Amino acid sequence: MTTPIYLDHLASTPLDPLVLDAMLPWFSPAAVGNPQAAHRPGWRAADAVEAARAEVAALIGAPPGAVLFTSGATEANTLALLGGAAPGAACLVSAVEHASVLGCLPELRRRGCPVTILPVDSDGRLAPATLETALGTALETAQRRPPGPALVSVMAANNEVGTLQPLAELAAVARARGALIHSDATQAAGGGGLSMDGLGLDFLSLSGHKLGGPMGIGALAARDGAALRPPSAGGGQQRGLRPGTLPTALCVGLGAACRLARDRATEDTRRIAGLRERLWFYLSAALPGLRRNGAADGLPGCLSVTLPGLDAADLLLGLPDLALSTGSACHSDAAEPSHVLLAMGRSVEEAHATLRFGLGRTTTADEVERAAARLIAAILAD
C-alpha cells in the first residue's frame, strides 16, 4: 500500500516526536497526581501544568495568568463568545470566521445580542474602516439600552485561504469604541511573532493539534480585566472560568508544542513558504486557468487554488494516496460550498472547484513534487 502524502496540516499536524517525549512520563502509573490535590504527587502535576501554561503564554505574548486550558480552539472560541458577550451586547464577526465561531451566533441572538456579519474583500481580509463603520452603527443602536461593551471576533489567519487579518488596526478600532476583541489564532499561533498584549487583544484562542501538539487540548487567553462569564457550572478550577480536572499530559504536550513553535518559527516559516511557492509553480505551470485564493503574503503553509470546471471532491476520491482538502476540515463531509470562498466573491461553482493544500514542518520537497505530479496527471487525464 502506498504511503499517503500528507498535505492537510491546516486540518491537523502530526504530533512532534519531542512533544510525545515530553508527554510520555505523564501517562505512567506513577504520574497519578491530580493537579488540584494537596499532596506531593498533586503538587508535582500542578507544577507541570503551570510550566506548560507559561510556555503557552510565551508563544502568544500574554501573562501566564491569562491562559485558560480548554479541550481545543472550538471550546476556547465558544468560551470567548458566549462568555465574553454580555446579554444584549452587540457582537460583530467577520464573514470568514471558523465554523466554531459562526456556530455561536444563534445562541448570541437568542440572548438578545444584535449580530453583525462583517464583509471582507476578495482576498478574505476585513478592512478596519468596515469594522469602524459597523461598530458605530451597532453602538448607536445600543445606546437606547447599553447592556455592556460590544464584542468583535476576527480570526488572525484564515484556515481555508491563509489570509492574515490586520489585527493591530482592527484592535485599535475596537478599543477606540470601547469594544472587546477576540481573535481565533489557531492557524497563526505556530508562526511566531504573535503578541496578544502587543496587538491589544482581549481574548485569543489556539489549539494544540494545529502546531505539532496533541489533540484534545487548547487554550483561551483572556486579558486581565476583560469580563468573562463561565458558560457552564461546575468546579472552581481555572478561576472558575473553565471547570474540570486538567489533563496533565495534554497540558504538558501543549506547552512543549508551544516551546518548539517559538524556537523554530523563523526556520519553519522560511522553509514551508518556499515549499508552498514551489507547489504553486508546478501546478500553475501545468494547469492553465488555475487561480490562487487569498493574499500571497498569507500563512506560509496554505495554498488554496481554483481550477474552473474541476470537481475537487470527485478528484480527491480518486486519489486516496493524497491527503489534502477541498476546504475546512469541519465542512469536509458537507455538500455546501465554502462560506469563506463565497464571502470572497467566488461563485458556488468556483468553490466546488477549489483545493486546499496545508504544508507543515514534516513536509518535504519530494512530497511536494510527487503530489503535484499526481494531481496534474489526474486532472489532465480527466
Side-chain angles (χ1 to χ4, degrees):
M1 181 179 293
T2 304
T3 301
I5 300 174
Y6 189 77
L7 296 178
D8 205 16
H9 289 250
L10 295 168
S12 192
T13 57
L15 183 68
D16 192 288
L18 293 177
V19 173
L20 178 60
D21 288 344
M23 294 170 61
L24 282 176
W26 296 98
F27 287 115
S28 164
V32 67
N34 185 319
Q36 294 293 116
H39 48 57
R40 185 173 295 172
W43 296 331
R44 180 171 173 262
D47 287 345
V49 167
E50 293 312 308
R53 198 187 306 272
E55 294 288 4
V56 176
L59 177 66
I60 61 173
V67 175
L68 302 169
F69 288 109
T70 66
S71 61
T74 290
E75 184 191 355
N77 289 338
T78 302
L79 179 56
L81 270 73
L82 300 186
C91 295
L92 301 91
V93 305
S94 87
V96 294
E97 293 302 301
H98 188 267
S100 60
V101 168
L102 298 178
C104 292
L105 302 186
E107 175 61 20
L108 288 170
R109 292 189 179 101
R110 192 189 67 78
R111 297 180 184 186
C113 297
V115 172
T116 301
I117 306 295
L118 302 165
V120 297
D121 66 16
S122 60
D123 283 332
R125 185 176 287 114
L126 172 63
T130 299
L131 174 60
E132 186 165 15
T133 299
L135 257 179
T137 300
L139 293 176
E140 285 174 11
T141 302
Q143 281 179 356
R144 293 190 290 271
R145 51 179 186 86
L151 176 64
V152 177
S153 185
V154 182
M155 62 188 355
N158 188 263
N159 56 303
E160 291 191 35
V161 299
T163 296
L164 306 178
Q165 298 292 352
L167 281 185
E169 293 87 344
L170 295 170
V173 170
R175 285 198 307 274
R177 293 284 190 167
L180 300 172
I181 183 165
H182 160 256
S183 185
D184 175 358
T186 304
Q187 300 292 348
L194 186 67
S195 173
M196 178 178 167
D197 286 347
L199 292 168
L201 301 175
D202 296 288
F203 306 110
L204 182 147
S205 306
L206 59 86
S207 188
H209 75 105
K210 299 299 177 79
L211 42 81
M215 291 184 178
I217 189 72
L220 174 69
R223 179 182 59 80
D224 186 31
L228 193 62
R229 302 157 192 81
S232 61
Q237 296 93 338
Q238 300 197 87
R239 294 178 281 148
L241 294 172
R242 199 272 183 174
T245 301
L246 287 173
T248 304
L250 295 182
C251 292
V252 168
L254 177 59
C258 288
R259 182 174 64 254
L260 287 173
R262 190 156 50 96
D263 291 344
R264 296 177 176 178
T266 300
E267 172 58 22
D268 280 353
T269 297
R270 181 196 63 77
R271 192 185 69 82
I272 295 169
L275 291 176
R276 177 197 63 194
E277 292 309 304
R278 181 180 296 192
L279 177 59
W280 168 244
F281 173 79
Y282 291 145
L283 295 175
S284 59
L287 301 171
L290 191 70
R291 184 170 65 186
R292 190 169 182 168
N293 301 307
D297 62 349
L299 285 173
C302 181
L303 179 63
S304 171
V305 297
T306 299
L307 184 64
L310 177 71
D311 187 321
D314 279 353
L315 174 70
L316 293 185
L317 284 176
L319 296 170
D321 55 323
L322 294 185
L324 57 139
S325 173
T326 58
S328 169
C330 296
H331 287 148
S332 61
D333 60 348
E336 292 80 11
S338 160
H339 72 280
V340 171
L341 294 172
L342 296 183
M344 292 165 55
R346 308 296 191 263
S347 68
V348 171
E349 292 75 18
E350 288 172 322
H352 285 307
T354 297
L355 295 169
R356 182 192 71 169
F357 300 84
L359 287 66
R361 186 179 296 159
T362 61
T363 305
T364 67
D366 177 67
E367 287 177 323
V368 165
E369 293 175 11
R370 287 190 290 123
R374 290 281 289 118
L375 277 167
I376 292 167
I379 292 170
L380 294 181
D382 190 4

